[in-house]
Amino acid sequence: RIQELRLAEAGDDTAQRVEILTRSAQIQEDMLGSAEGAYDIHARIFRDDPTHKPTRDQLIRLAHQLGRSEALARLLTEHVTKDAADDERDEALEIVREAAELWMGLDQPARAVPLYERLITVRPDNSAVFPALEQALTRAEMWKELAEAYWREADTSLDEQRQVEVLMRLSDLALGILSDAELAIRAFVRVLETQAEHETARGRLERVYENLGRWDALIESLRQRLERSEDAGTREAILLRIATLQDTRQDSPDAAIDTLESLLTEQPGV
């Protein structure tokens, strides 16, 4: 009752209300031995002032102790999706992160996904967010969403090497779990547009073309490889392979002869 009188006197003074309730929570836990009572008071403080970090720290600690992490995850998520749905301040985004981490700790990664997506949309330059989103999508087995996340990361990253790394992971996902050769082709082509000398991407792309019987595309890729090669032995191997494909796969002996003639012109001693 004394607490309620003090709160009434505090009126709309949030800082004073937080101080009064924090003291009450300490009494509940330290003097009365009631972690439940302390948790409920800290939850009340959170509703008054969600950005008060010490209160959230106490809530997280007590939630773990009491087995109420899911209730806390729901409380934080409700706040950031309703009351603070459009809040892009760092203080609000910190609550988004805490809610996501609680869901991950509860082995409910699908609930963390939209929270991490919000973080990456608002703070795309935060390098710590994408790995967390990637982990959440993987654990939730949300493979199509993971592929979309890889594309977004490749589109928004200003780091060329980062783009390539993400696209190669996308290609692994496409050829593996998704069994989507077209998606893999798009990823490999994008890598090669960024780094034409990326031999791993080139080799894998050519294997996909071969598996699909896309001989025109395969030969075009081989010609692109030829343009960047100066080694005589490598050029000979590429031209011979092109000629073989033209003869056996495209049923175009004339084209094969032209390719072989270009090889003889280039390397008369072959």
Side-chain angles (χ1 to χ4, degrees):
R1 182 173 178 78
I2 293 175
Q3 171 187 288
E4 295 303 323
L5 288 173
R6 289 180 176 174
L7 288 173
E9 291 175 358
D12 295 331
D13 188 333
T14 301
Q16 189 175 351
R17 291 176 62 83
V18 168
E19 182 180 351
I20 294 168
L21 288 169
T22 299
R23 178 57 182 159
S24 296
Q26 291 173 339
I27 292 172
Q28 283 288 327
E29 184 173 11
D30 298 338
M31 299 180 65
L32 301 179
S34 175
E36 287 277 0
Y39 177 92
D40 290 340
I41 293 173
H42 282 300
R44 180 175 178 180
I45 298 173
F46 174 79
R47 294 186 179 93
D48 276 352
D49 184 7
T51 62
H52 192 254
K53 184 68 164 62
T55 293
R56 300 201 311 276
D57 290 342
Q58 292 298 319
L59 277 171
I60 292 171
R61 177 183 65 82
L62 290 166
H64 286 311
Q65 179 181 328
L66 297 167
R68 295 181 64 175
S69 293
E70 182 165 350
L72 179 58
R74 291 180 184 278
L75 176 66
L76 300 187
T77 301
E78 181 179 10
H79 169 71
V80 298
T81 55
K82 293 182 179 179
D83 300 333
D86 299 319
D87 195 337
E88 296 185 359
R89 294 176 302 161
D90 289 340
E91 295 88 345
L93 297 178
E94 182 67 11
I95 302 173
V96 175
R97 182 190 61 78
E98 290 170 359
E101 290 178 352
L102 282 168
W103 288 122
M104 291 295 285
L106 291 162
D107 198 23
Q108 298 187 47
R111 290 178 178 267
V113 167
L115 299 170
Y116 284 130
E117 287 179 336
R118 174 175 172 180
L119 290 176
I120 209 166
T121 298
V122 178
R123 295 288 187 272
D125 56 339
N126 187 337
S127 60
V129 179
F130 183 80
L133 173 61
E134 182 181 28
Q135 182 184 33
L137 289 166
T138 300
R139 286 175 54 184
E141 298 184 354
M142 299 171 66
W143 307 121
K144 290 183 178 180
E145 292 82 357
L146 178 57
E148 292 169 0
Y150 283 141
W151 274 122
R152 285 197 304 271
E153 181 70 3
D155 285 338
T156 57
S157 176
L158 300 178
D159 185 334
E160 179 180 290
Q161 189 56 39
R162 174 65 176 165
Q163 294 173 27
V164 170
E165 290 172 0
V166 169
L167 289 165
M168 291 303 288
R169 273 186 263 173
L170 172 59
S171 70
D172 288 338
L173 176 64
L175 292 176
I177 292 171
L178 292 177
S179 297
D180 189 339
E182 296 299 332
L183 178 58
I185 288 172
R186 288 172 54 206
F188 289 135
V189 168
R190 177 75 174 274
V191 169
L192 293 169
E193 288 173 349
T194 304
Q195 293 183 359
E197 72 283 0
H198 199 290
E199 290 303 315
T200 300
R202 176 78 61 188
R204 291 181 182 177
L205 175 62
E206 289 172 359
R207 283 197 295 275
V208 174
Y209 283 151
E210 187 168 10
N211 291 337
L212 295 175
R214 296 191 180 177
W215 311 119
D216 288 346
L218 175 54
I219 290 172
E220 177 59 29
S221 181
L222 290 169
R223 291 193 186 283
Q224 291 172 5
R225 186 191 290 273
L226 187 68
E227 290 174 359
R228 297 188 315 281
S229 178
E230 296 180 358
D231 178 74
T234 300
R235 293 181 63 83
E236 177 186 346
I238 294 172
L239 286 167
L240 287 174
R241 189 178 181 200
I242 291 173
T244 299
L245 289 169
Q246 290 170 327
D247 185 34
T248 62
R249 299 300 184 179
Q250 292 188 313
D251 193 23
S252 182
D254 290 342
I257 291 171
D258 289 342
T259 300
L260 291 173
E261 286 178 346
S262 67
L263 172 59
L264 290 171
T265 299
E266 182 179 306
Q267 301 183 38
V270 174

